[in-house]
Amino acid sequence: MRPAGTGLWLCLALTLGLGLVSPLAVGWASARVPIYVNSWAVRVSQGNQEAERLARKFGFINLGQIFPDGQYFHLRHRGVVQHSLTPHWGHRLRLKKDPQVRWFEQQTLRRRVKRSLAVPTDPWFPKQWYMNNEVQPDLNILQVWGQGLTGQGVVVSILDDGIEKDHPDLWANYDPLASYDFNDYDPDPQPRYTPSNENRHGTRCAGEVAALANNGYCGAGVAYNARIGGVRMLDGTITDIIEAQSLSLQPQHIHIYSASWGPEDDGRTVDGPGILTREAFQRGVTKGRGGLGTLFVWASGNGGLHYDNCNCDGYTNSIHTLSVGSATQQGRVPWYSEACASTLTTTYSSGVVTDPQIVTTDLHHQCTDKHTGTSASAPLAAGMIALALEANPFLSWRDMQHLVVRASRPAQLQAEDWRTNGVGRQVSHHYGYGLLDAGLLVDMARTWLPTQPQQKCTISVVHTPITMSSLMHVQKNVTACTGLPNYIRSLEHVQVRLSLSYSRRGDLEIRLTSPMGTHSTLVAVRPFDISGQGYNNWIFMSTHFWDEDPQGEWTLILENKGYYFNTGTLYRYTLLLYGTAEDMTVRPTGSQVTSSACMRRDPQGLCQECHSPTYILDHLCLSHCPPRYFSHTQGSVTPGHKPPGSSAMRVCTSCHPSCYTCRGNSPLNCTSCWPSHTLDELHGSCLGPATPAGHPLPTATSQPHHPWGRARAMLLVLLVVAFGTPLFSGVLPNTEVQKLIYPAQKGQDSHSHSTATTRLPAQVSSEAELDLRGASVAF
Ligand SMILES: *[C@@H]1O[C@H](CO)[C@@H](O)[C@H](O)[C@H]1NC(C)=O
Ligand SMILES: *[C@@H]1O[C@H](CO)[C@@H](O)[C@H](O)[C@H]1NC(C)=O
Ligand SMILES: [Ca+2]
């Protein structure tokens, strides 16, 4: 229940007999859309008798007079849905026609928040310096709580070493459907207790997101009314299967996964997700959350002491994860922080011993003020993202990344590498776009115009072996798929896929410069990386070119920053651009509520038709149809129902009730099912709760254990083995400075849309590593 609704509003609400706000209603209400409830205020001239007559005549319940003057009455109708986006036309007509009714109004939900309640009363809240206004600026969470947003209706799962589900500050928000134990294969994620309490990490992360507020215990979570689950998966043998299963647990139920782990942060590892885990990410963003895409929030890594670079970690540098770095209370780069171009945003965390740390729940029903590292930063961001999702539940995974870019500020964060990119934003390899501001994030989430589907433009720059010099520039004039359906005007992520051999990998610095002049370091010197294996189809990612126009000359710079006699051969270089054809820099500023995508309104001002690419649902224009609805172009369903002047209407229509998501309204059109139901992929139908024995897995919709999945995985492994290692040798002379210029050719950029297709795995780790790799927990 919301603690926010008290005071005057509560009195009024009780008088009117309104229930408290449901999660769905909160989302809508915050988007300033009226929600009609099943209550009417009616003014009659002849008092209670007249009100009783009206109630009997039309089937209302008379709940009595509103003021003691016997004129205004509160009528409720049981046959009307409790929350509706449209007024009830039938009752409106009837009441209008009745000569004894002098005035009436169907009631709508009012959002009223008692302002003083925003500051939680929890005893440790004064120690939560990063959100109690103690430092300026902090994460700006009080402002969001002040608006009544607390994560209600949002589900977050912590992928870690378990969660103490009976902790007094967690139990009430604990969600068993968002939890599982993949170490023991049972539904209970309770951590394994040891004398050294090493399995406390997940419980600590969970409390940052959703510790209860105002319960007189510990502190408060960022989204203290969100539901929280835990996946126990780090306390045992870690395989690609376990990672993939964890990341695809209940993708229609869990909105946000928060993970603070990855390959060893030892400064010499280059490793990323295996085939199945990459497939899990891909499925998550395309199918999770009813097609809006699962939100994977990731800690950028703790390898700072080893001069590690998070671009050598295939989890944080995936475009599908939202990677979060850390800053100390003083606004400094913490000693453990890893710098890399794939970090998107930053939240606070610990620093040196004298710096304050993060306050959260701990094992054995305890509280702690000693949570540290980037592991502490990612859950804070996950909580803030939960607040934004409550404000607008229809944001896609890419919408959220766009919003995070815009809601992050350099603020007082100190770094030597703050630079202004081609669209005027400040960006740093330590902090991404800076400190995330929850107030800004929520404000922008409310009015965000959905982004168009993701396009991908692939440019193969080098495909014959070149011997590398000590400083090599590879230039390429790019058209960004101009004239093709996958033309990109505004960039999101940029990837560079490289295959090269090098005598000492850690000595090679790789940088990329965009046509707008933004320099991004893809990997800096890693003194501990003495590997002679080079990079084998490794993908580097940068977020620093966000919203830039990619047309023109891109320069890749490979520079030997170490031993003079280093040698190497560049085998392949592919530039992969992601983004949309929309010019994101000319979007109107200020309020752009989704209703501004409305093309035609009825006399009441309600929207009837939306501009492409949005779809209409209940008079709202949405970028995607939510779960339980499918998008289609009307005309094929109800021919002759077309509005004048337009050939087709884009609408969201209900699925068959047996489906969770679907592509049509038949029970055979399901694409995913409700929790505990199984999708029959052959027939597109959902089967009721089954699998009691022999199938301990909690979901059937997304597990990568389908026979075809395994077959394909095998195939992919074979492909990797066959094509993974380049076997060519260099031919060009080894000059000091090399400049390679490749002109643009129209049509050379390949056509590929990345939204629907499943691609071959691009990052290749050796077959043996797939199963034996241990993931290191960030502390
Ligand atoms: C890139 O190509 C475009 C179109 O062919 C041309 O106008 C432009 O001058 C080229 N830029 C560079 C730096 O070569
Ligand atoms: C929906 O299911 C029907 C069969 O019931 C099938 O004919 C139709 O093609 C399906 N629609 C889509 C879009 O898959
Ligand atoms: Ca508490």
Side-chain angles (χ1 to χ4, degrees):
M1 284 293 199
R2 311 177 60 76
T6 50
L8 191 61
W9 175 67
L10 188 57
C11 299
L12 191 66
L14 289 176
T15 317
L16 295 177
L18 301 185
L20 289 175
V21 185
S22 80
L24 171 69
V26 172
W28 293 109
S30 56
R32 312 260 185 274
V33 176
I35 310 278
Y36 293 88
V37 297
N38 58 353
S39 282
W40 277 260
V42 180
R43 185 178 181 191
V44 292
S45 27
Q46 279 119 28
N48 198 43
Q49 229 177 350
E50 191 57 42
E52 281 295 326
R53 183 193 64 81
L54 275 176
R56 274 198 306 277
K57 187 171 164 196
F58 299 134
F60 289 101
I61 303 160
N62 178 10
L63 293 175
Q65 55 190 18
I66 295 168
F67 304 112
D69 64 358
Q71 286 198 33
Y72 292 88
F73 286 86
H74 177 199
L75 302 184
R76 191 194 283 168
H77 205 292
R78 285 234 176 89
V80 173
V81 290
Q82 276 195 8
H83 296 134
S84 166
L85 289 162
T86 50
H88 194 288
W89 298 108
H91 292 315
R92 182 194 165 97
L93 214 62
R94 277 171 222 128
L95 289 171
K96 216 170 180 167
K97 274 190 185 155
D98 193 293
Q100 302 305 324
V101 175
R102 297 177 56 186
W103 171 88
F104 69 93
E105 190 171 77
Q106 186 174 359
Q107 298 295 295
T108 54
L109 280 187
R110 301 296 174 97
R111 170 176 287 276
R112 296 292 183 272
V113 177
K114 185 175 172 183
R115 297 195 168 89
S116 60
L117 243 181
V119 179
T121 56
D122 303 76
W124 289 45
F125 187 70
K127 298 171 101 172
Q128 293 186 292
W129 54 274
Y130 39 92
M131 53 189 198
N132 65 10
N133 263 341
E134 189 180 323
V135 294
Q136 289 297 335
D138 68 358
L139 300 176
N140 203 9
I141 285 160
L142 281 175
Q143 193 204 317
V144 178
W145 288 345
Q147 300 169 35
L149 296 170
T150 53
Q152 190 109 20
V154 180
V155 181
V156 183
S157 187
I158 307 289
L159 309 184
D160 214 292
D161 53 16
I163 177 173
E164 193 172 274
K165 60 185 187 304
D166 54 352
H167 191 290
D169 227 10
L170 292 174
W171 69 273
N173 285 335
Y174 175 71
D175 184 350
L177 273 181
S179 304
Y180 202 76
D181 179 348
F182 284 106
N183 289 129
D184 290 340
Y185 278 96
D186 67 55
D188 179 5
Q190 196 78 9
R192 182 174 56 91
Y193 292 92
T194 65
S196 61
N197 287 324
E198 72 220 49
N199 293 318
R200 64 191 182 193
H201 194 256
T203 302
R204 290 180 164 200
C205 292
E208 293 183 80
V209 178
L212 301 172
N214 304 311
N215 62 345
Y217 204 87
C218 294
V222 173
Y224 58 76
N225 277 320
R227 277 178 287 164
I228 186 82
V231 174
R232 179 169 176 257
M233 42 84 66
L234 291 182
D235 187 21
T237 311
I238 300 164
T239 61
D240 191 22
I241 292 181
I242 286 182
E243 289 184 2
Q245 285 182 320
S246 304
L247 289 165
S248 47
L249 177 75
Q250 302 283 24
Q252 306 310 339
H253 180 72
I254 300 169
H255 304 117
I256 303 166
Y257 298 72
S258 178
S260 302
W261 42 269
E264 292 263 32
D265 292 324
D266 55 6
R268 49 174 174 248
T269 304
V270 176
D271 191 12
I275 289 164
L276 300 172
T277 303
R278 286 197 297 270
E279 176 74 17
F281 281 134
Q282 183 72 36
R283 287 175 176 223
V285 298
T286 52
K287 297 184 177 160
R289 255 184 346 118
L292 293 171
T294 300
L295 300 164
F296 299 106
V297 178
W298 222 273
S300 66
N302 281 337
L305 208 55
H306 301 121
Y307 305 97
D308 205 352
N309 186 295
C310 31
N311 235 329
C312 293
D313 169 343
Y315 297 83
T316 66
N317 87 356
S318 161
I319 68 169
H320 301 137
T321 58
L322 204 158
S323 156
V324 182
S326 300
T328 69
Q329 189 193 45
Q330 305 293 319
R332 299 215 172 88
V333 177
W335 58 269
Y336 51 81
S337 164
E338 291 180 37
C340 73
S342 57
T343 300
L344 202 62
T345 190
T346 294
T347 62
Y348 283 114
S349 187
S350 58
V352 294
V353 280
T354 51
D355 282 319
Q357 303 172 346
I358 301 299
V359 175
T360 182
T361 50
D362 207 354
L363 286 190
H364 308 291
H365 298 189
Q366 303 288 307
C367 324
T368 181
D369 53 7
K370 301 261 178 293
H371 193 33
T372 57
T374 52
S375 329
S377 285
L380 291 175
M384 294 159 88
I385 285 168
L387 299 174
L389 262 198
E390 184 187 1
N392 180 354
F394 297 114
L395 297 170
S396 74
W397 67 279
R398 284 170 44 252
D399 289 335
M400 194 59 85
Q401 295 202 15
H402 271 281
L403 288 167
V404 165
V405 165
R406 287 161 173 77
S408 302
R409 294 275 178 268
Q412 79 284 34
L413 304 187
Q414 302 156 39
E416 77 294 347
D417 75 328
W418 280 113
R419 291 225 184 88
T420 304
N421 72 7
V423 293
R425 287 199 189 103
Q426 304 252 85
V427 65
S428 151
H429 294 82
H430 297 284
Y431 305 118
Y433 287 88
L435 191 67
L436 188 57
D437 181 315
L440 262 167
L441 185 68
V442 162
D443 285 349
M444 286 190 285
R446 283 207 172 98
T447 58
W448 179 250
L449 265 184
T451 35
Q452 291 171 14
Q454 183 194 49
Q455 312 279 14
K456 178 184 177 188
C457 177
T458 306
I459 302 127
S460 172
V461 184
V462 173
H463 31 77
T464 49
I466 300 161
T467 301
M468 289 157 62
S469 64
S470 61
L471 176 62
M472 184 166 140
H473 293 249
V474 185
Q475 293 173 336
K476 172 80 180 175
N477 195 350
V478 161
T479 66
C481 297
T482 301
L484 300 171
N486 52 332
Y487 162 67
I488 294 173
R489 166 59 185 82
S490 296
L491 284 171
E492 291 169 7
H493 311 89
V494 172
Q495 292 179 328
V496 166
R497 186 163 64 209
L498 286 181
S499 283
L500 59 86
S501 64
Y502 211 69
S503 46
R504 182 173 165 132
R505 187 169 60 197
D507 284 352
L508 184 66
E509 184 173 282
I510 306 176
R511 303 188 295 274
L512 183 67
T513 303
S514 72
M516 297 187 94
T518 306
H519 305 281
S520 187
T521 302
L522 300 181
V523 63
V525 170
R526 295 203 306 166
F528 295 117
D529 184 2
I530 57 165
S531 166
Q533 296 191 331
Y535 292 100
N536 189 356
N537 257 345
W538 187 255
I539 293 189
F540 297 94
M541 192 269 275
S542 177
T543 58
H544 292 200
F545 313 108
W546 207 273
D547 288 340
E548 288 189 4
D549 181 349
Q551 276 207 55
E553 193 173 86
W554 288 83
T555 308
L556 183 77
I557 301 155
L558 301 135
E559 186 174 1
N560 178 9
K561 289 236 167 167
Y563 183 53
Y564 179 77
F565 295 104
N566 275 326
T567 56
T569 304
L570 175 63
Y571 295 103
R572 276 197 298 260
Y573 157 32
T574 310
L575 185 64
L576 302 106
L577 309 175
Y578 297 83
T580 60
E582 181 184 353
D583 183 352
M584 299 297 286
T585 59
V586 300
R587 281 194 162 201
T589 51
S591 177
Q592 321 141 11
V593 202
T594 41
S595 68
S596 74
C598 186
M599 197 155 102
R600 206 163 48 83
R601 295 174 186 275
D602 71 3
Q604 318 284 326
L606 295 172
C607 190
Q608 289 194 305
E609 194 178 352
C610 300
H611 283 293
S612 179
T614 64
Y615 296 91
I616 190 159
L617 172 62
D618 280 327
H619 308 294
L620 281 179
C621 297
L622 306 173
S623 59
H624 298 79
C625 297
R628 294 179 286 119
Y629 294 87
F630 67 101
S631 55
H632 68 110
T633 306
Q634 214 168 52
S636 51
V637 167
T638 48
H641 212 77
K642 294 172 201 167
S646 81
S647 54
M649 211 163 112
R650 300 158 63 86
V651 295
C652 296
T653 301
S654 291
C655 296
H656 186 270
S658 65
C659 310
Y660 186 77
T661 58
C662 67
R663 52 175 147 260
N665 53 13
S666 142
L668 301 179
N669 291 148
C670 303
T671 51
S672 74
C673 303
W674 292 90
S676 78
H677 287 61
T678 315
L679 180 67
D680 178 343
E681 291 202 35
L682 190 63
H683 299 105
S685 62
C686 288
L687 309 172
T691 66
H695 294 277
L697 299 175
T699 57
T701 52
S702 62
Q703 297 301 330
H705 68 260
H706 296 296
W708 67 268
R710 182 165 298 164
R712 189 161 69 169
M714 286 299 292
L715 176 67
L716 295 183
V717 169
L718 291 176
L719 286 170
V720 166
V721 170
F723 300 110
T725 321
L727 295 165
F728 323 100
S729 59
V731 284
L732 287 193
N734 191 354
T735 49
E736 263 307 289
V737 178
Q738 244 169 321
K739 210 165 197 186
L740 302 164
I741 302 176
Y742 295 83
Q745 274 172 23
K746 202 159 172 180
Q748 190 183 359
D749 308 350
S750 85
H751 314 231
S752 51
H753 304 264
S754 64
T755 31
T757 55
T758 308
R759 299 184 304 277
L760 270 180
Q763 301 183 358
V764 177
S765 47
S766 81
E767 202 182 355
E769 264 179 325
L770 277 179
D771 282 347
L772 298 175
R773 168 163 37 95
S776 75
V777 184
F779 42 93

